[in-house]
């Protein structure tokens, strides 16, 4: 009986999804009639013009940029005006609302129907005896002090090194000295760049590594399922923790836990002016970078695929989700043993509009590989490694080190990934039909 109840909710969610999807189409056909197709075409055209205008605004300067920016706002506004003039705005809004409901319920159905959530293997170990934690008091706007991380960690028996905010310190050297002195766990309360430096030492020494989500964005902590709102909960790993084995990425000889970026973004963040005025510097540099008038011309080799002259490339430690807008920037797994590769090549406004096709866009290359080589027409290229701006000698080689890092995390953590399957209308329809057939059988 329990098993039957556990499958009932996903099937009813699928049934609602199918009904809402059909309802969205019926609303258009019944209330807009022959104009329904025109409504869809006008909306799609307006969206395409808006995206193309954004490209023009980013790739040009002066009057062209101003006109493109105006058009980017004017195109969707003109679509709304056209809907209002035809008296059909409410039809579009109701149809869109039904479609959003259909997609939401469809994802709920697929997630609930999953029988084996994606969870990395974990094992329980005895608490560490001599944990050593490095804390950056500036990270995350001062989270170390705000959440009293030092005091709480020391109360649990950890030795804590709070970095000096007045000058740069070699955190890798600090971690190595701690390991030489007998530390049996290395941990960091700081940004992802600092996490990567200490993680490299932990992997080399085969010591468990602990992440404390005290950075600004905490992407690594997010994918480990840690609480990013209250970093003090990460300290539970010292008393009731489990160990995960995850992969590490390596770019030349530098370890990364998240990603290495090449191209326009990596070049922009190298500019001395970027730190003081990010928006102005980006808008000033992008036109030449996007049109290949400035910056290195890249060539990316990944397995049997070559990407010629992309404007941006992201090589990630395990692939990011791209099939679900709600999951963008999230990795479901950190132990798949492969790198994710995302390359973007857009040379004109038409190709920019084509990006609306998502992963099927011709200017978007998305794949996985065990090794990625990024070459260029220059001896060195700028690279962003876990948010740190570096300059590396070409060709730049990215590798994966499967299960190289032992990560200690709390047994109970709020964001343990459960694996969210991509939207699949065929599966949703099949779940819905299963519900209907059973209902018909019971009625009979």
């Amino acid at each position: 009986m329990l098993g039957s109840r556990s499958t009932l909710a996903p099937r009813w969610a699928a049934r609602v999804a199918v009904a809402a999807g059909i309802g969205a189409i019926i609303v258009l056909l019944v209330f807009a009639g022959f104009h329904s197709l025109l409504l869809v075409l006008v909306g799609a055209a307006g969206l395409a013009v808006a995206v193309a205008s954004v490209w023009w605004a980013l790739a040009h300067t002066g009057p062209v940029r101003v006109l493109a920016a105006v058009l980017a706002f004017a195109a969707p506004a003109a679509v709304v005006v056209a809907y209002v003039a035809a008296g059909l705005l409410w039809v579009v809004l109701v149809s869109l609302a039904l479609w959003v409901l259909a997609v939401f319920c469809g994802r709920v159905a697929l997630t609930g129907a999953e029988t084996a959530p994606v969870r990395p293997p974990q094992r329980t170990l005895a608490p560490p005896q001599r944990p050593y934690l490095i804390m950056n008091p500036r990270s995350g706007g001062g989270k170390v002090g705000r959440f009293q991380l030092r005091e709480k960690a020391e109360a649990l028996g950890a030795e804590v090194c709070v970095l000096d905010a007045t000058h740069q310190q070699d955190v890798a050297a600090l971690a190595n000295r701690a390991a030489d002195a007998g530390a049996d766990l290395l941990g960091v309360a700081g940004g992802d760049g600092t996490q990567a430096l200490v993680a490299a030492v932990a992997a080399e020494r085969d010591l468990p590594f602990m992440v404390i989500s005290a950075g600004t964005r905490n992407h690594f902590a997010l994918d480990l399922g840690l609480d990013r709102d209250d970093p003090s909960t990460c300290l539970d790993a010292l008393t009731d923790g489990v160990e995960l084995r995850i992969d590490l990425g390596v770019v030349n000889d530098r370890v990364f836990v998240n990603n290495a970026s090449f191209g326009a973004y990596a070049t922009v963040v190298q500019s001395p002016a970027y730190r003081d005025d990010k928006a102005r510097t980006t808008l000033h540099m992008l036109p030449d970078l996007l049109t290949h008038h400035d910056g290195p011309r890249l060539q990316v080799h990944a397995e049997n695929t070559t990407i010629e002259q992309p404007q941006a490339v992201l090589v990630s430690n395990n692939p990011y989700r791209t099939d679900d807008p709600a999951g963008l920037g999230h990795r479901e797994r950190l132990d798949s043993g492969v790198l994710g590769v995302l390359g973007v090549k857009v040379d004109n406004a038409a190709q920019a509009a084509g990006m609306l096709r998502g992963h099927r866009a011709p200017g978007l290359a998305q794949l996985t590989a065990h090794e990625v080589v990024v070459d260029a027409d220059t001896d060195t290229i700028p690279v962003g490694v876990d948010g740190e701006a570096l300059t590396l000698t070409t060709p730049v080689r990215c590798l994966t080190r499967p299960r190289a890092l032992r990560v200690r995390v709390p047994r109970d953590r709020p964001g343990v990934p459960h694996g969210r399957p991509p939207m699949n209308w065929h599966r949703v329809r099949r779940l819905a039909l299963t519900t209907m057939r059973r209902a018909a059988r019971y009625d009979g």
Side-chain angles (χ1 to χ4, degrees):
M1 180 66 69
L2 183 60
S4 176
R5 289 178 180 175
S6 65
T7 58
L8 186 60
R11 287 170 177 159
W12 273 101
R15 193 172 184 179
V16 172
V18 171
I22 294 174
I25 297 173
I26 290 175
V27 166
L28 279 178
L29 293 177
V30 171
F31 294 99
F34 293 108
H35 297 290
S36 57
L37 179 60
L38 183 60
L39 288 177
V40 174
L41 292 177
V42 168
L47 185 58
V49 170
V51 173
S53 299
V54 170
W55 162 260
W56 284 324
L58 294 176
H60 296 83
T61 59
V64 175
R65 170 173 285 178
V66 174
L67 290 174
V70 171
L71 185 58
F73 287 100
V79 171
V80 173
V81 170
Y83 289 165
V84 171
L88 296 174
L89 179 61
W90 73 271
V91 176
V92 175
L93 294 178
V94 170
S95 182
L96 284 176
L98 286 171
W99 187 251
V100 169
L101 176 63
V103 173
F104 173 78
C105 290
R107 294 198 177 281
V108 169
L110 293 177
T111 302
E114 288 290 306
T115 57
V118 179
R119 294 191 181 186
Q122 59 187 37
R123 61 171 181 158
T124 302
L125 297 175
Q129 299 301 305
R130 298 187 60 183
Y132 182 83
L133 306 180
I134 297 173
M135 298 188 178
N136 185 346
R138 295 175 297 178
S139 290
K143 288 183 179 179
V144 169
R146 190 159 66 251
F147 288 92
Q148 299 181 318
L149 297 181
R150 176 178 185 171
E151 294 79 4
K152 292 178 180 178
E154 289 177 340
L156 295 174
E159 180 182 351
V160 179
C161 171
V162 178
L163 298 178
D164 189 341
T166 62
H167 69 280
Q168 191 79 15
Q169 290 176 269
D170 189 340
V171 294
L174 291 172
N176 272 308
R177 284 199 292 270
D180 291 339
D184 59 355
L185 177 144
L186 300 175
V188 175
D192 290 331
T194 307
Q195 299 276 4
L197 292 171
V198 179
V201 176
E204 182 181 356
R205 298 298 193 101
D206 193 28
L207 292 174
F209 177 67
M210 194 174 92
V211 176
I212 305 172
S213 55
T216 302
R217 297 179 180 86
N218 299 298
H219 292 302
F220 189 36
L222 168 68
D223 294 329
L224 287 171
L226 300 175
D227 188 343
R228 296 190 297 169
D229 296 324
D230 184 0
S232 65
T233 60
C234 300
L235 297 173
D236 292 343
L238 295 175
T239 55
D240 184 23
V242 294
E243 185 176 288
L244 314 176
R245 281 276 188 175
I246 69 168
D247 308 335
L248 285 176
V250 180
V251 51
N252 283 2
D253 59 350
R254 172 76 177 249
V255 164
F256 62 92
V257 294
N258 289 331
N259 55 63
S261 61
F262 306 82
Y265 171 75
T267 301
V268 168
V269 297
Q270 294 277 351
S271 171
Y274 179 77
R275 185 174 297 273
D276 296 328
D277 194 341
K278 294 180 173 61
R280 186 183 297 274
T281 303
T282 301
L283 289 174
H284 174 73
M285 297 180 65
L286 271 182
D288 287 338
L289 294 173
L290 294 179
T291 55
H292 299 293
H293 291 146
D294 194 10
R297 294 174 180 265
L298 303 178
Q299 186 181 68
V300 182
H301 306 279
E303 303 294 350
N304 298 320
T305 302
T306 298
I307 309 173
E308 297 284 355
Q309 297 188 25
Q311 284 104 336
V313 177
L314 187 74
V315 179
S316 58
N317 175 31
N318 288 265
Y320 285 102
R321 287 288 301 267
T322 58
D323 54 5
D324 178 11
L328 292 179
H330 172 63
R331 294 166 290 179
E332 285 191 338
R333 296 187 59 180
L334 292 172
D335 61 347
S336 65
V338 293
L339 300 169
V341 184
L342 193 65
V344 178
K345 182 179 180 181
V346 179
D347 293 326
N348 52 58
Q351 290 181 0
M355 298 298 287
L356 292 171
R357 297 174 59 188
H359 66 277
R360 294 172 295 177
L364 183 65
Q366 179 187 347
L367 59 146
T368 59
H370 294 91
E371 180 179 358
V372 180
V373 177
V374 181
D375 210 344
D377 58 353
T378 56
D379 294 333
T380 61
I381 56 173
V383 185
V385 181
D386 282 341
E388 303 290 330
L390 304 177
T391 301
L392 301 180
T393 303
T394 55
V396 177
R397 191 175 304 274
C398 301
L399 302 169
T400 181
R401 293 172 57 189
R403 299 172 60 83
L405 183 64
R406 301 165 55 192
V407 181
R408 191 176 184 93
V409 296
R411 184 186 307 275
D412 296 320
R413 49 200 191 279
V416 176
H418 290 277
R420 193 177 188 185
M423 189 61 181
N424 186 319
W425 280 109
H426 176 71
R427 284 196 62 201
V428 172
R429 186 181 61 183
R430 189 170 59 192
L431 281 168
L433 289 176
T434 300
T435 304
M436 295 174 185
R437 291 191 188 109
R438 288 193 174 186
R441 188 167 62 248
Y442 294 151
D443 290 342

